[in-house]
Amino acid sequence: MPSIAIKSLHTPRVLPLSIVLLLFFFTSKVDAIRRSGGLTSVTRAAFYKSKPQIHSSSRISTRRKSGYGGGAQSVEWIDPEYKSLLGNNNNDDEDEEFFENKSKTKLCSATGGGLATNLLRGAFLRVASDISGGTPLESVKCRVTTTLKGPLQATRDIYSEGGLQAFWTGTPSRTIEGALLGAMFLVGSAATKNQVLAMGGSKDLAALAGGLVGGLVQAIVMTPAGMVFTSLNYNKGKPGYEDDNFITVANRIVKEKGVMGMFIGGGPMAIRQASNWASRGLFTEIARTNFKMSKYGLIGEIGSGVIGGVGSCWNTPIETVRVIMQRDVSSGLAPKTAKEYMNSIYEEQGIPGLFRGVTPRAIQAIWQTCFMVVVPNILGL
């Protein structure tokens, strides 16, 4: 009987992931063919050290007039599609009008025509990051945050409770959550970045705004999903919670606290997600452009993601409050305000208490940043 249960748990998980994987590569291939040049300009910059594509007509005309020479042939880093349409035209006004129209077309494509592609890409990237390492790191982080144990002891405890598979506790619900989070994040982030660039904003500002919007959108799904995951992780192995799963936990919380009980901790979650991804996007972009790490190709892009992931951990106290608040709700206790939790933790454990779990969280942040920020940068999203 146990072996049948295990099969029924794991078998259906493989099929949807395989389908998402195939769709991801299929849509990427179609997108590459549609662009007529194979790689996007950002990808070329990452791997061949070429200059990035300019996103607004005003910047193009300014650079051409201030040292890149006259005529369209001097703009060597425009997509082949643009370059072939320009021909040998030397009229700056006509060129500027052309690029303005193309900029609007690319923006519409990113926010509309590429919507399905970005939804699939985002879902795949987030699920892949969770299954390959994000979920175990989240389990360790939750255990460290909700107890006074260190990362190594928490890891040993989780393993002793259920073996290696215990690190993936809550994977079915987290897979659904991850697919929704990734899809919403990539669409919101890509559309926002393109809008900021089209308005003449810098790449740093675009990365900051894209992460901010993407993170806020995620909080809508992540608050109730995080509540269930925290409950499953914290109550695992305790008497009375042996048969817990996503449905039983959600039903228990709704019965005790009402539907809005699933959204307790939404404030800290929204702040955490917005500051998380804004920081990851901004620090990654600063590393790759201001520090010029992108010129080192793929290694430089990954290194930028490492900086972005570690740099985003400054907001760990917000995450600590969120986890403990949702822990109390899942245990049937009345939640306090975020300020009360923060004061209580500070009085009992000092500053280190507010940063409990920062080590596994930093590793998890690097992991997620490489999947959700670095890969989209390489794809030119």
Side-chain angles (χ1 to χ4, degrees), residues 202-248:
S202 67
K203 288 185 177 182
D204 291 347
L205 181 60
L208 176 67
L212 185 69
V213 172
L216 283 174
V217 171
Q218 281 187 332
I220 300 171
V221 175
M222 203 161 185
T223 301
M227 174 74 75
V228 173
F229 185 85
T230 300
S231 176
L232 289 171
N233 188 275
Y234 178 69
N235 293 321
K236 184 174 178 62
K238 293 184 178 180
Y241 297 95
E242 295 89 346
D243 299 323
D244 265 8
N245 56 43
F246 180 87
I247 296 175
T248 59

Side-chain angles (χ1 to χ4, degrees), residues 58-209:
S58 60
R59 290 187 190 177
I60 290 171
S61 60
T62 301
R63 290 197 178 210
R64 289 176 65 242
K65 292 174 184 177
S66 63
Y68 278 90
Q73 297 300 323
S74 62
V75 189
E76 295 294 339
W77 31 288
I78 302 299
D79 282 348
E81 176 191 0
Y82 295 6
K83 198 169 177 182
S84 62
L85 290 173
L86 277 174
N88 293 319
N89 178 30
N90 292 321
N91 189 314
D92 283 347
D93 293 334
E94 291 182 12
D95 286 355
E96 188 160 339
E97 182 180 357
F98 169 79
F99 281 109
E100 183 176 356
N101 292 334
K102 292 303 292 185
S103 178
K104 291 177 181 177
T105 301
K106 285 179 74 63
L107 177 59
C108 292
S109 174
T111 58
L115 179 62
T117 300
N118 283 348
L119 284 170
L120 287 172
R121 283 172 170 165
F124 168 77
L125 289 171
R126 180 55 192 255
V127 171
S129 74
D130 284 345
I131 292 179
S132 61
T135 298
L137 290 167
E138 180 73 16
S139 296
V140 174
K141 182 194 72 176
C142 282
R143 186 64 61 93
V144 172
T145 304
T146 56
T147 65
L148 297 178
K149 299 175 181 177
L152 293 178
Q153 184 60 49
T155 302
R156 284 193 290 266
D157 287 350
I158 294 173
Y159 182 80
S160 65
E161 291 169 4
L164 196 59
Q165 65 180 11
F167 290 96
W168 279 267
T169 296
T171 291
S173 61
R174 192 167 172 82
T175 299
I176 298 172
E177 173 204 10
L180 292 172
L181 291 178
M184 296 169 71
F185 173 81
L186 194 58
V187 169
S189 175
T192 302
K193 286 195 289 187
N194 277 294
Q195 182 63 52
V196 171
L197 291 169
M199 294 170 64
S202 67
K203 288 185 177 182
D204 291 347
L205 181 60
L208 176 67

